Amino acid sequence: MNKLLKQIQQQHPLLQNAMQRNKEVEKILYAFGTVLDCLNPIRNRRTPVHANPVLLEESDATLAVNAARTILHYIDAKLSDSYADA
């Protein structure tokens, strides 16, 4: 997911323009890239996706899910808003 976020940031013109205009948003997106990088090991080692003896606590799982949702909602809104303006 982190690689995909980086690729979208670097190659999609709508996100490139937004990031060039707002350095703070760029910093947030890069920070979320780090967050997304943490989600794969959590998915593989702390969820029922694979046989794991120790699962995340509900509050930790909610944090992970909401972090992923936040970045996906941002990208969706950014692209939807930009296409609606066209």
Side-chain angles (χ1 to χ4, degrees):
M1 288 192 311
N2 188 25
K3 288 179 184 178
L4 179 59
L5 177 62
K6 284 182 183 179
Q7 196 171 26
I8 291 170
Q9 287 172 295
Q10 294 170 353
Q11 296 180 9
H12 199 289
L14 296 174
L15 288 176
Q16 285 177 329
N17 294 338
M19 290 173 45
Q20 290 171 356
R21 289 191 303 265
N22 194 331
K23 293 298 180 190
E24 289 78 18
V25 170
E26 182 179 12
K27 288 179 185 179
I28 292 169
L29 286 173
Y30 281 114
F32 263 104
T34 301
V35 170
L36 291 175
D37 202 33
C38 296
L39 293 179
N40 281 333
I42 287 173
R43 177 189 170 275
N44 291 334
R45 297 186 197 121
R46 300 295 302 267
T47 68
V49 171
H50 303 287
N52 290 303
V54 179
L55 301 178
L56 287 176
E57 293 179 7
E58 185 175 345
S59 57
D60 296 335
T62 300
L63 174 66
V65 168
N66 286 338
R69 281 183 178 170
T70 297
I71 193 63
L72 291 173
H73 283 294
Y74 171 78
I75 291 170
D76 183 58
K78 196 70 174 165
L79 299 180
S80 296
D81 290 346
S82 296
Y83 287 125
D85 293 340

